[in-house]
Amino acid sequence: MLPAAQKDNQGLRPLEMYDYELPSELIAQTPAKRRVQARLMVLPLDGAEIQLGKVAWLPNFLKAGDLLVLNQTRVVPARLKARKPTGGAVEVLLLDPVHPRRVFEDGAQELEVLLKSHRPMKPGEVLLLGQKAEYRLEVLERGPKGRAWLKSPVSGLFLAELFGQTPLPPYIKRPQGPDQSDLERYQTVYAQEPGAVAAPTAGLHLSPELFAALARRGVNTARLTLHVGYGTFAEPSADDLARGKLHAEWVEVPDETARAINDTRAKGGRVIAVGTTSVRSLEWAAADNGIVQAKKGWCDILIAEGHSFKAIDGLMTNFHLPRTTLLMLVAAIAGRERILDAYRLAVREGFRFYSFGDAMLLV
């Protein structure tokens, strides 16, 4: 079980304490030619020297009896190009295509979205989808920073499958929109349950061939689901940080995964989460004694320095944006100064950052 990283006497550190300088040219715009060709930084949690390698070498850093826990959520084509009745373009990002805020008597659904338009839209205004305006979406309510709620005659998943594009992060520049390769590479090879609006990016590096090599090594896998949603895009408020909460996301930890984790621990193996979403899911599902329970529901926990980890012994993850709760989570595992030192080393070594970038293994 991981030791709790220390925090100061003031409680949670502000996000400004999780900052680093990153040259823009190190922000990956395309993935590695092959998934396993991405580079890998191995950061030992016992304080030993950092090692640099490739994701293809992952079996060398794991042991027989270890368990990798994967988030099998599937990215939905959640970015829609709509228009106003006057012809003005509006971009709609579905924030939770699976769970509507409410369902009306006529079967219509209230969907949470981000809106981007030349002029902010007001409640009562209408958006049109389809060449012949087959679908009309009404703005019901507006929130801060482009957030809104729309009344749709059909489900968010239906709209996404009919009209959607891959919702690449804004730092990946595609002036003409996502291309065909993005449809494949911004998705893990084991994605199964549709519902995410952003990929669990650590898993983008894993391939069927690598899983076969891990199995030969005696490394096992288990799966859970966390549908990555609005929390990925929203900077938490000071109140959120003070409460230790994030925007809730849907999680399901199946019986077989809970059993695999508990059996691994009982036999002395390590539980290694693939991605911060897997960390949050497992820590949410674990009892204080470290036993992971089958569980599903809304997870809103924020993991920061001082967190007492109950369910994991390591993490595979990408290099995260500065001043984010994702970087805060990684620092909770290894310590803020050690993580920031590792990030500075990654910059010096020319590692590629963010969703299509390189990976880090903390074990």
Side-chain angles (χ1 to χ4, degrees), residues 10-90:
Q10 302 304 312
L12 285 177
R13 302 182 196 270
L15 287 176
E16 290 76 11
M17 298 290 286
Y18 301 88
D19 201 3
Y20 63 92
E21 293 185 12
L22 178 67
S24 59
E25 61 267 23
L26 294 184
I27 299 174
Q29 296 300 307
T30 57
K33 289 185 178 180
R34 293 176 56 237
R35 292 177 186 265
V36 298
Q37 286 180 334
R39 298 174 71 186
L40 179 67
M41 174 181 286
V42 181
L43 191 155
L45 295 176
D46 61 4
E49 185 177 351
I50 289 174
Q51 300 179 63
L52 306 182
K54 292 185 177 181
V55 171
W57 304 353
L58 183 62
N60 297 332
F61 302 109
L62 301 179
K63 303 173 183 177
D66 285 346
L67 179 72
L68 290 179
V69 181
L70 314 170
N71 180 5
Q72 65 181 357
T73 188
R74 186 170 188 84
V75 179
V76 170
R79 195 175 298 279
L80 312 176
K81 291 186 179 297
R83 63 186 184 277
K84 300 177 183 178
T86 57
V90 181

Side-chain angles (χ1 to χ4, degrees), residues 108-158:
Q109 297 188 3
E110 185 173 356
L111 308 177
E112 184 180 11
V113 302
L114 290 181
L115 293 180
K116 185 178 179 181
S117 59
H118 178 69
R119 179 184 60 81
M121 300 192 68
K122 299 177 182 178
E125 292 193 90
V126 170
L127 290 172
L128 306 176
L129 282 170
Q131 291 185 344
K132 298 180 180 180
E134 298 95 324
Y135 298 92
R136 296 170 60 89
L137 283 63
E138 179 188 352
V139 179
L140 298 175
E141 185 181 337
R142 290 303 309 265
K145 299 181 180 180
R147 195 174 173 193
W149 289 265
L150 307 180
K151 183 177 181 180
S152 168
V154 294
S155 71
L157 278 178
F158 183 87

Side-chain angles (χ1 to χ4, degrees), residues 153-190:
V154 294
S155 71
L157 278 178
F158 183 87
L159 292 176
E161 294 301 331
L162 201 58
F163 300 111
Q165 293 182 333
T166 302
L168 294 176
Y171 49 77
I172 295 177
K173 306 301 181 185
R174 296 285 191 274
Q176 306 305 318
D179 58 35
Q180 188 61 35
S181 66
D182 291 323
L183 299 179
E184 175 194 0
R185 293 303 298 276
Y186 195 63
Q187 196 82 266
T188 65
V189 298
Y190 48 84

Side-chain angles (χ1 to χ4, degrees), residues 198-235:
T201 55
L204 298 181
H205 304 295
L206 306 179
S207 70
E209 296 78 12
L210 184 57
F211 281 121
L214 288 165
R216 289 193 295 272
R217 177 75 168 170
V219 176
N220 302 309
T221 61
R223 299 186 182 194
L224 53 77
T225 301
L226 181 148
H227 290 319
V228 188
Y230 179 68
T232 296
F233 303 94
E235 180 178 334

